[in-house]
Amino acid sequence: MTQYVLAGLALGSIYAIASAGLVVTYVSAGVLNFAFGSMAYVVARFYFWLNSQHGWPTTTAGAVSILVAGPLLGAFLYLVLFRFIRGQSTLIKLVTTIGLSVALPPVADLLMGTQTITAAPGLALPSDPPFHFLGAPVSTDQLLTYGFLVAVVVLGTVVLRLTDVGLRVRAVVDSEAMASLSGTNPGRVALGAWMLSAMLAGLAGILVAPSNGLTTVGMTTLMAAAFAAVVAARLRSLVGAVVVALAMGVVTDVITKYLPVNSAWTADILPSVPFAVMFVFLVVYAVRARPATDRTDGDDIGGPLDQAIRPANQTPTTLADTVGPSSRRGTLVALLPFAVVFAVPLIFSGNPYWLGVVATGLCFSVIFLTFTVVTGEGGMLWLSQAVMAGIGALAAAQFATVAHWPVLLSLLAGGVIAAVVGAVMGALTIRLGQLYVALGTLTFGLLAETLVFDQNRFLQGGLGVDVARPSFAKGDLAFSYLALIVFALFALLIVNLRRSTSGMALTAVRDSESASRTLGLSVVQLKIIVGALAAFVAAVGGGFLALDGGVAQPASYETFAGLVWLAVVVTLGIRSILAAAIAGLVYTLLPAVFRTYIPTRWLEVPAILFGLGAIMVARNPEGVVVRNGRQLRRLAARLTAGRAGASSSAPAAAAASVAGAQVTAAADRVGAEAGQ
């Protein structure tokens, strides 16, 4: 038993170091860093590059990676990104860090190599003999992990409680405005916090790499496990996060003593322990019907003085209201881009390979509408939409192959199941606030992956469950237009939702939940309905993706893949229906172009572009499609007004000027309509 406890303490120590890095940035900067795992990957990959690829000694490579590369990475990211999102809404902060999490790993691979690294060295030498404690062996790596955790806790406590630096940090956390009046530079404090967080991320990444492997999945799983400790500690208590992290590590290793060896359930349960812990705490917070933190969305930092002066110096950017009011006058013009999208399958009909890529992209377009609904309309960040798509695909495959239902009816049944799951998830998380919606849905997705999707009923030995296309859509061209018809039906549903009374209520809720409650609107009920609808859309789209490949394969619906999907949609426009259509095509066509025409070394570029596009949401929340469409229409309106003024007399010119202004205003509405 001692051996299991010691191993569990080592694992828990790694979780604790990671959770400390998350707490530092959240407490000091108000950002729960979803890019923490990617930052850990970059530093750990740099350590491997120095130590294994260039032969640097372990001590030198470790010191340079942790003490130099990590802080420099944190400083660079703060200067180019994080300092611009400090005063933004919670939604913008989360989406920006998710975009960064997508972009960082491929950048590291592009610079240092793309080989798969399943066994990475730790900070101890392979020749170091193990020590013994109470008869149980303790490796040097474990001892170093214990030591690093003690150093982090002790030094962190001493610095925060007993030094002038700690006093300044606490002052900035309490009130940035008051700290500034006393001579403290909040920017320098935030810079130091991000440098420290990046250093802890690198340390945790290097420590966990020997057991989890040096992969983005392993590092992101480390981050998700650290989230569990942070949530249990209410996002703010460093000591609480460390204690919970240690407990999770011990429980994870101790239960291996009692679980059967080489069992599929054992392989599923062990990685699920941190996610189960986070899920339990979220349920407890939901039952208590109060937020798990005293902070509210969009008001993450500072005290009353900070809130009083904030409107004067910054207006937080949101992802809401990036589409203006609709105009029937512009309906025909707004349909022109959709006509182009509908023509895409015909354009590629002569080439079977590219037509297949287009068909897959249109399936993703249907899935991507889920983000348009839940984030664009509902103002919520759900991170389980890939799993919702998987639920629809796996359920549809079971209905079609086991119950022998018609395949389209099976898709609808899978959508209904996902909608019920989405409603339950919404009921558990929405009352806790935006941040906990993201964490709760992420937790659900990871639990569903490890405990449900890994069942052999769905895996079938890794081959998945075969599911056939409808008889009238066997070919890629017919199937592409079937997907487009479904996309158009969902698009009409979203447009009607926007124009309905419920849509107006949703707009009010996005503007101000407090004001909406005073008007008698049920915020939770509205958001639950939107969440259920988004889950239904995702599930139907996931079923179409399974039909496209002829198999429902759980590996196609990983939670972290959904983060990349989100990055693509946000880049083009989270509230734009047209952007969802284009995003699906871009998501498949751009990598295919690189695979076909670009050297293998540059295959990571599309992922980098997707991540960078999501990062830019802090500056451009409306997305590329809506922004460029609006600018083109304004230009056309000005040119039209200018020609009208040049060909008329003076009295007519005045009238033309008025008309031009009206055309410009109408063009704005048309541009917004085209984005719908």
Side-chain angles (χ1 to χ4, degrees):
M1 178 62 74
T2 304
Q3 180 178 354
Y4 291 101
V5 172
L6 292 175
L9 286 174
L11 178 62
S13 297
I14 298 174
Y15 290 162
I17 292 171
S19 63
L22 290 169
V23 169
V24 164
T25 51
Y26 184 78
V27 170
S28 61
V31 178
L32 188 61
N33 185 15
F34 274 77
F36 187 88
S38 295
M39 293 166 65
Y41 175 80
V42 170
V43 179
R45 183 66 183 83
F46 181 70
Y47 170 73
F48 183 88
W49 184 75
L50 292 178
N51 180 248
S52 299
Q53 294 180 232
H54 288 78
W56 284 39
T58 298
T59 303
T60 306
V64 171
S65 300
I66 297 170
L67 301 178
V68 179
L72 286 179
L73 176 64
F76 173 76
L77 293 177
Y78 172 77
L79 293 174
V80 301
L81 175 63
F82 290 127
R83 68 192 179 102
F84 297 111
I85 66 171
R86 180 175 173 82
Q88 303 291 1
S89 67
T90 300
L91 191 58
I92 291 292
K93 292 175 181 177
L94 294 179
V95 170
T96 303
T97 58
I98 287 172
L100 183 62
S101 74
V102 172
L104 276 180
V107 170
D109 292 340
L110 190 64
L111 295 176
M112 293 178 282
T114 58
Q115 67 267 35
T116 301
I117 306 170
T118 55
L123 292 174
L125 297 176
S127 58
D128 289 343
F131 298 88
H132 289 81
F133 179 76
L134 298 178
V138 181
S139 68
T140 306
D141 270 326
Q142 289 177 326
L143 285 176
L144 288 174
T145 302
Y146 303 148
F148 281 125
L149 176 62
V150 171
V152 168
V153 174
V154 172
L155 290 177
T157 302
V158 169
V159 170
L160 285 176
R161 298 296 178 186
L162 303 178
T163 67
D164 181 66
V165 173
L167 179 62
R168 294 176 183 273
V169 171
R170 298 200 309 274
V172 170
V173 171
D174 290 337
S175 174
E176 183 177 304
M178 291 298 295
S180 299
L181 292 176
S182 65
T184 299
N185 187 329
R188 292 181 181 177
V189 172
L191 173 62
W194 281 107
M195 292 175 68
L196 176 60
S197 179
M199 184 181 72
L200 293 177
L203 174 60
I206 293 172
L207 292 175
V208 82
S211 57
N212 281 20
L214 186 48
T215 63
T216 54
V217 174
M219 296 301 167
T220 312
T221 302
L222 165 69
M223 176 196 70
F227 278 161
V230 173
V231 167
R234 296 175 178 261
L235 303 178
R236 305 188 68 170
S237 172
L238 177 60
V239 174
V242 169
V243 171
V244 174
L246 289 174
M248 286 193 308
V250 171
V251 169
T252 301
D253 272 70
V254 167
I255 62 175
T256 59
K257 178 179 174 63
Y258 303 100
L259 292 174
V261 182
N262 298 326
S263 167
W265 270 104
T266 301
D268 292 340
I269 289 174
L270 292 181
S272 301
V273 170
F275 313 136
V277 169
M278 182 157 59
F279 184 77
V280 168
F281 275 97
L282 289 172
V283 170
V284 170
Y285 296 150
V287 170
R288 294 173 62 184
R290 61 185 292 269
T293 176
D294 293 331
R295 295 176 177 182
T296 59
D297 293 345
D299 183 20
D300 294 84
I301 292 295
L305 178 60
D306 300 85
Q307 308 314 316
I309 67 174
R310 179 163 294 167
N313 54 28
Q314 60 182 353
T315 301
T317 308
T318 67
L319 290 178
D321 301 324
T322 59
V323 175
S326 61
S327 170
R328 291 186 178 181
R329 183 185 304 175
T331 300
L332 293 178
V333 177
L335 290 177
L336 290 178
F338 290 101
V340 175
V341 172
F342 270 74
V344 169
L346 286 176
I347 295 173
F348 290 98
S349 59
N351 189 310
Y353 171 74
W354 290 107
L355 180 59
V357 173
V358 168
T360 305
L362 292 173
C363 294
F364 276 109
S365 295
V366 177
I367 296 176
F368 288 172
L369 279 176
T370 186
F371 298 112
T372 307
V373 175
V374 74
T375 305
E377 300 303 316
M380 300 176 291
L381 189 65
W382 283 40
L383 302 181
S384 60
Q385 298 310 82
V387 168
M388 293 297 181
I391 290 174
L394 300 181
Q398 294 296 315
F399 286 127
T401 58
V402 178
H404 304 291
W405 288 13
V407 66
L408 295 182
L409 181 60
S410 299
L411 291 181
L412 292 176
V416 171
I417 293 174
V420 173
V421 174
V424 173
M425 280 300 304
L428 288 175
T429 59
I430 287 171
R431 288 178 296 174
L432 301 178
Q434 182 66 263
L435 189 57
Y436 286 90
V437 169
L439 290 172
T441 52
L442 176 68
T443 303
F444 166 76
L446 294 170
L447 282 173
E449 267 191 65
T450 55
L451 298 180
V452 179
F453 284 16
D454 276 356
Q455 299 304 305
N456 195 54
R457 179 187 186 93
F458 306 121
L459 281 176
Q460 294 295 316
L463 300 177
V465 179
D466 292 336
V467 55
R469 296 178 181 179
S471 58
F472 60 86
K474 292 292 186 182
D476 284 338
L477 183 61
F479 182 72
S480 296
Y481 279 105
L482 177 61
L484 276 171
I485 290 172
V486 173
F487 180 91
L489 291 175
F490 282 140
L492 289 174
L493 177 63
I494 295 171
V495 170
N496 288 328
L497 174 64
R498 288 173 176 171
R499 295 174 176 175
S500 67
T501 304
S502 298
M504 296 174 63
L506 279 172
T507 301
V509 169
R510 287 198 310 270
D511 288 342
S512 173
E513 291 190 8
S514 300
S516 300
R517 291 188 181 95
T518 63
L519 295 175
L521 297 177
S522 176
V523 174
V524 174
Q525 182 178 354
L526 282 171
K527 290 194 172 186
I528 288 176
I529 293 172
V530 170
L533 177 60
F536 180 82
V537 173
V540 173
F544 265 84
L545 190 61
L547 292 180
D548 176 69
V551 61
Q553 176 60 265
S556 301
Y557 306 97
E558 296 179 344
T559 303
F560 295 127
L563 302 186
V564 183
W565 299 357
L566 175 64
V568 178
V569 180
V570 167
T571 299
L572 294 174
I574 197 66
R575 293 204 65 213
S576 170
I577 295 172
L578 175 62
I582 297 175
L585 294 172
V586 169
Y587 182 67
T588 55
L589 284 172
L590 186 60
V593 168
F594 272 77
R595 286 193 302 268
T596 306
Y597 301 109
I598 306 298
T600 305
R601 173 178 174 79
W602 303 102
L603 292 182
E604 301 287 349
V605 171
I608 297 174
L609 295 177
F610 296 151
L612 292 177
I615 291 171
M616 291 303 295
V617 73
R619 292 290 186 88
N620 176 33
E622 61 186 4
V624 173
V625 171
V626 177
R627 182 190 62 180
N628 290 341
R630 179 176 290 118
Q631 290 176 346
L632 288 174
R633 283 162 178 80
R634 283 179 176 173
L635 178 60
R638 289 170 184 168
L639 292 176
T640 302
R643 285 195 297 268
S647 61
S648 62
S649 61
S657 177
V658 175
Q662 293 174 343
V663 169
T664 303
D668 288 343
R669 293 194 297 271
V670 170
E673 183 75 18
Q676 295 182 344

